[in-house]
Amino acid sequence: MKKITDKDFFTRTSEKVARDLLGKFICSRKGDMKKYQIIVTEAYYYDEIDDNGKKICYGAGKTKQEAAKLVSAPLFEKPGTWCIYGGQLIISVTDDVNSDNVLIKEVKDEEGNIYTPHKMAMELRLYKKYGICNCHGKFSLSDDADLYLTNGVEVENIKKCDRKGIKRRQKRGFKCG
């Protein structure tokens, strides 16, 4: 598998990046070097608002300076930066002014086991109590992050799906199959 090295991959809209991440692999430099195929993603834009008037993007409504001391600060770094937010794996996209991002919702390992956010967080050690992964705030294309992305399989059957947990359903999620 060829490592993704083109930083321009992340400088597109979150919807395009979310779609194109399907079929790619998240690989770990730690332990047994397992790889996990991305099978569900969700795209978030910094200015999205739900029916209750609440901003729904991670880090939304903040400037880069305001977010500097928050857990969501990596979302304001260069596109392609990892952020762990409540055990969820997120990657920044677009630019370093707005906090547009993509949430990786589900991955599948080589044995076919599917990991939803909580199980993925335990498997990839995104929670401190499980031995934290060194990826929060790290550029995914650098060699100092524990996680990196590789090209994967071409996904032919992509389903656009409603985002869960939002009153006004928005088709910004993507699924393999």
Side-chain angles (χ1 to χ4, degrees):
M1 298 274 143
K2 185 178 176 195
K3 183 177 173 183
I4 294 174
T5 57
D6 182 6
K7 66 179 189 255
D8 292 336
F9 178 86
F10 301 104
T11 58
R12 302 172 297 142
T13 67
S14 56
E15 204 160 336
K16 286 180 182 176
V17 174
R19 181 182 173 90
D20 289 348
L21 279 171
L22 294 177
K24 305 282 189 281
F25 289 93
I26 297 173
C27 300
S28 174
R29 297 186 203 292
K30 291 180 92 173
D32 55 10
M33 305 285 288
K34 287 177 80 171
K35 61 183 180 182
Y36 305 85
Q37 185 179 29
I38 299 169
I39 58 173
V40 180
T41 59
E42 285 184 353
Y44 288 84
Y45 292 94
Y46 77 97
D47 58 354
E48 287 182 279
I49 298 173
D50 71 9
D51 289 343
N52 295 319
K54 180 183 175 212
K55 292 198 178 238
I56 58 177
C57 186
Y58 303 94
K62 305 272 189 271
T63 65
K64 186 174 182 175
Q65 292 74 29
E66 292 169 329
K69 295 182 181 174
L70 301 175
V71 73
S72 59
L75 297 177
F76 292 87
E77 296 304 322
K78 62 183 158 187
T81 301
W82 295 112
C83 179
I84 302 168
Y85 190 92
Q88 297 184 89
L89 189 58
I90 306 167
I91 198 156
S92 66
V93 299
T94 315
D95 59 42
D96 64 356
V97 175
N98 299 313
S99 63
D100 294 355
N101 51 75
V102 174
L103 172 64
I104 298 172
K105 291 282 287 187
E106 288 183 18
V107 296
K108 178 173 60 173
D109 69 15
E110 295 167 278
E111 290 80 42
N113 299 311
I114 294 176
Y115 298 88
T116 55
H118 174 67
K119 288 182 178 181
M120 185 183 353
M122 290 189 306
E123 178 74 8
L124 295 175
R125 296 176 177 82
L126 303 180
Y127 292 136
K128 287 182 183 177
K129 66 181 179 181
Y130 295 109
I132 194 79
C133 172
N134 182 27
C135 67
H136 183 73
K138 301 284 185 176
F139 185 45
S140 64
L141 306 183
S142 71
D143 290 332
D144 66 339
D146 286 350
L147 300 179
Y148 63 96
L149 295 164
T150 66
N151 289 322
V153 297
E154 191 68 33
V155 178
E156 293 180 18
N157 190 10
I158 295 175
K159 295 178 184 174
K160 199 168 185 181
C161 52
D162 291 334
R163 213 184 281 145
K164 295 177 182 171
I166 298 173
K167 275 183 146 180
R168 185 184 67 227
R169 302 282 186 207
Q170 298 177 26
K171 292 192 177 289
R172 297 260 172 99
F174 297 94
K175 255 182 204 188
C176 289

PDB file of all heavy atoms in Angstrom, residues 41-53:
ATOM      1  N   THR A  41     -17.599   7.674   6.740  1.00  0.00           N
ATOM      2  CA  THR A  41     -17.079   8.998   7.100  1.00  0.00           C
ATOM      3  C   THR A  41     -18.243   9.984   7.188  1.00  0.00           C
ATOM      4  O   THR A  41     -19.326   9.726   6.668  1.00  0.00           O
ATOM      5  CB  THR A  41     -16.080   9.516   6.046  1.00  0.00           C
ATOM      6  OG1 THR A  41     -16.746   9.588   4.782  1.00  0.00           O
ATOM      7  CG2 THR A  41     -14.850   8.636   5.956  1.00  0.00           C
ATOM      8  N   GLU A  42     -17.983  11.118   7.829  1.00  0.00           N
ATOM      9  CA  GLU A  42     -18.943  12.221   7.845  1.00  0.00           C
ATOM     10  C   GLU A  42     -18.192  13.523   7.618  1.00  0.00           C
ATOM     11  O   GLU A  42     -17.117  13.733   8.193  1.00  0.00           O
ATOM     12  CB  GLU A  42     -19.680  12.297   9.185  1.00  0.00           C
ATOM     13  CG  GLU A  42     -20.723  11.237   9.349  1.00  0.00           C
ATOM     14  CD  GLU A  42     -21.517  11.359  10.637  1.00  0.00           C
ATOM     15  OE1 GLU A  42     -21.192  12.200  11.505  1.00  0.00           O
ATOM     16  OE2 GLU A  42     -22.477  10.600  10.768  1.00  0.00           O
ATOM     17  N   ALA A  43     -18.757  14.381   6.792  1.00  0.00           N
ATOM     18  CA  ALA A  43     -18.165  15.682   6.476  1.00  0.00           C
ATOM     19  C   ALA A  43     -18.824  16.762   7.326  1.00  0.00           C
ATOM     20  O   ALA A  43     -20.042  16.774   7.494  1.00  0.00           O
ATOM     21  CB  ALA A  43     -18.372  15.989   4.995  1.00  0.00           C
ATOM     22  N   TYR A  44     -18.000  17.659   7.856  1.00  0.00           N
ATOM     23  CA  TYR A  44     -18.494  18.772   8.663  1.00  0.00           C
ATOM     24  C   TYR A  44     -17.914  20.080   8.154  1.00  0.00           C
ATOM     25  O   TYR A  44     -16.729  20.167   7.859  1.00  0.00           O
ATOM     26  CB  TYR A  44     -18.082  18.597  10.131  1.00  0.00           C
ATOM     27  CG  TYR A  44     -18.841  17.504  10.836  1.00  0.00           C
ATOM     28  CD1 TYR A  44     -18.440  16.180  10.738  1.00  0.00           C
ATOM     29  CD2 TYR A  44     -19.975  17.795  11.581  1.00  0.00           C
ATOM     30  CE1 TYR A  44     -19.137  15.173  11.368  1.00  0.00           C
ATOM     31  CE2 TYR A  44     -20.683  16.795  12.223  1.00  0.00           C
ATOM     32  CZ  TYR A  44     -20.258  15.485  12.111  1.00  0.00           C
ATOM     33  OH  TYR A  44     -20.956  14.495  12.740  1.00  0.00           O
ATOM     34  N   TYR A  45     -18.790  21.109   8.057  1.00  0.00           N
ATOM     35  CA  TYR A  45     -18.368  22.443   7.667  1.00  0.00           C
ATOM     36  C   TYR A  45     -18.482  23.362   8.877  1.00  0.00           C
ATOM     37  O   TYR A  45     -19.435  23.265   9.654  1.00  0.00           O
ATOM     38  CB  TYR A  45     -19.244  22.975   6.532  1.00  0.00           C
ATOM     39  CG  TYR A  45     -19.022  22.219   5.241  1.00  0.00           C
ATOM     40  CD1 TYR A  45     -19.823  21.141   4.895  1.00  0.00           C
ATOM     41  CD2 TYR A  45     -17.993  22.582   4.388  1.00  0.00           C
ATOM     42  CE1 TYR A  45     -19.606  20.438   3.720  1.00  0.00           C
ATOM     43  CE2 TYR A  45     -17.773  21.883   3.205  1.00  0.00           C
ATOM     44  CZ  TYR A  45     -18.579  20.815   2.880  1.00  0.00           C
ATOM     45  OH  TYR A  45     -18.355  20.124   1.726  1.00  0.00           O
ATOM     46  N   TYR A  46     -17.526  24.263   9.028  1.00  0.00           N
ATOM     47  CA  TYR A  46     -17.441  25.121  10.210  1.00  0.00           C
ATOM     48  C   TYR A  46     -18.696  25.949  10.468  1.00  0.00           C
ATOM     49  O   TYR A  46     -18.993  26.300  11.600  1.00  0.00           O
ATOM     50  CB  TYR A  46     -16.219  26.045  10.118  1.00  0.00           C
ATOM     51  CG  TYR A  46     -16.411  27.212   9.180  1.00  0.00           C
ATOM     52  CD1 TYR A  46     -16.782  28.461   9.655  1.00  0.00           C
ATOM     53  CD2 TYR A  46     -16.233  27.060   7.806  1.00  0.00           C
ATOM     54  CE1 TYR A  46     -16.966  29.524   8.795  1.00  0.00           C
ATOM     55  CE2 TYR A  46     -16.406  28.106   6.946  1.00  0.00           C
ATOM     56  CZ  TYR A  46     -16.775  29.340   7.439  1.00  0.00           C
ATOM     57  OH  TYR A  46     -16.961  30.391   6.585  1.00  0.00           O
ATOM     58  N   ASP A  47     -19.477  26.244   9.457  1.00  0.00           N
ATOM     59  CA  ASP A  47     -20.623  27.137   9.625  1.00  0.00           C
ATOM     60  C   ASP A  47     -21.973  26.417   9.662  1.00  0.00           C
ATOM     61  O   ASP A  47     -23.023  27.058   9.629  1.00  0.00           O
ATOM     62  CB  ASP A  47     -20.632  28.187   8.520  1.00  0.00           C
ATOM     63  CG  ASP A  47     -20.676  27.585   7.118  1.00  0.00           C
ATOM     64  OD1 ASP A  47     -20.585  26.346   6.980  1.00  0.00           O
ATOM     65  OD2 ASP A  47     -20.791  28.374   6.155  1.00  0.00           O
ATOM     66  N   GLU A  48     -21.973  25.091   9.762  1.00  0.00           N
ATOM     67  CA  GLU A  48     -23.243  24.352   9.809  1.00  0.00           C
ATOM     68  C   GLU A  48     -23.956  24.569  11.142  1.00  0.00           C
ATOM     69  O   GLU A  48     -23.338  24.557  12.198  1.00  0.00           O
ATOM     70  CB  GLU A  48     -22.997  22.857   9.648  1.00  0.00           C
ATOM     71  CG  GLU A  48     -22.630  22.465   8.252  1.00  0.00           C
ATOM     72  CD  GLU A  48     -22.459  20.980   8.147  1.00  0.00           C
ATOM     73  OE1 GLU A  48     -21.386  20.482   8.508  1.00  0.00           O
ATOM     74  OE2 GLU A  48     -23.416  20.316   7.718  1.00  0.00           O
ATOM     75  N   ILE A  49     -25.281  24.699  11.049  1.00  0.00           N
ATOM     76  CA  ILE A  49     -26.105  24.915  12.234  1.00  0.00           C
ATOM     77  C   ILE A  49     -27.267  23.939  12.191  1.00  0.00           C
ATOM     78  O   ILE A  49     -27.885  23.743  11.142  1.00  0.00           O
ATOM     79  CB  ILE A  49     -26.631  26.370  12.279  1.00  0.00           C
ATOM     80  CG1 ILE A  49     -25.444  27.340  12.371  1.00  0.00           C
ATOM     81  CG2 ILE A  49     -27.595  26.573  13.437  1.00  0.00           C
ATOM     82  CD1 ILE A  49     -25.828  28.787  12.252  1.00  0.00           C
ATOM     83  N   ASP A  50     -27.590  23.334  13.343  1.00  0.00           N
ATOM     84  CA  ASP A  50     -28.728  22.408  13.377  1.00  0.00           C
ATOM     85  C   ASP A  50     -30.034  23.188  13.574  1.00  0.00           C
ATOM     86  O   ASP A  50     -30.038  24.421  13.632  1.00  0.00           O
ATOM     87  CB  ASP A  50     -28.536  21.317  14.438  1.00  0.00           C
ATOM     88  CG  ASP A  50     -28.641  21.817  15.868  1.00  0.00           C
ATOM     89  OD1 ASP A  50     -29.039  22.985  16.102  1.00  0.00           O
ATOM     90  OD2 ASP A  50     -28.322  21.039  16.774  1.00  0.00           O
ATOM     91  N   ASP A  51     -31.143  22.478  13.672  1.00  0.00           N
ATOM     92  CA  ASP A  51     -32.450  23.124  13.789  1.00  0.00           C
ATOM     93  C   ASP A  51     -32.617  23.925  15.076  1.00  0.00           C
ATOM     94  O   ASP A  51     -33.488  24.780  15.170  1.00  0.00           O
ATOM     95  CB  ASP A  51     -33.563  22.069  13.696  1.00  0.00           C
ATOM     96  CG  ASP A  51     -33.693  21.524  12.284  1.00  0.00           C
ATOM     97  OD1 ASP A  51     -33.190  22.150  11.342  1.00  0.00           O
ATOM     98  OD2 ASP A  51     -34.302  20.450  12.128  1.00  0.00           O
ATOM     99  N   ASN A  52     -31.770  23.653  16.067  1.00  0.00           N
ATOM    100  CA  ASN A  52     -31.839  24.389  17.336  1.00  0.00           C
ATOM    101  C   ASN A  52     -30.893  25.587  17.358  1.00  0.00           C
ATOM    102  O   ASN A  52     -30.744  26.234  18.380  1.00  0.00           O
ATOM    103  CB  ASN A  52     -31.511  23.461  18.507  1.00  0.00           C
ATOM    104  CG  ASN A  52     -32.548  22.375  18.648  1.00  0.00           C
ATOM    105  OD1 ASN A  52     -33.744  22.622  18.499  1.00  0.00           O
ATOM    106  ND2 ASN A  52     -32.095  21.162  18.909  1.00  0.00           N
ATOM    107  N   GLY A  53     -30.228  25.849  16.241  1.00  0.00           N
ATOM    108  CA  GLY A  53     -29.316  26.980  16.163  1.00  0.00           C
ATOM    109  C   GLY A  53     -27.922  26.691  16.694  1.00  0.00           C
ATOM    110  O   GLY A  53     -27.105  27.602  16.821  1.00  0.00           O
TER     111      GLY A  53
END
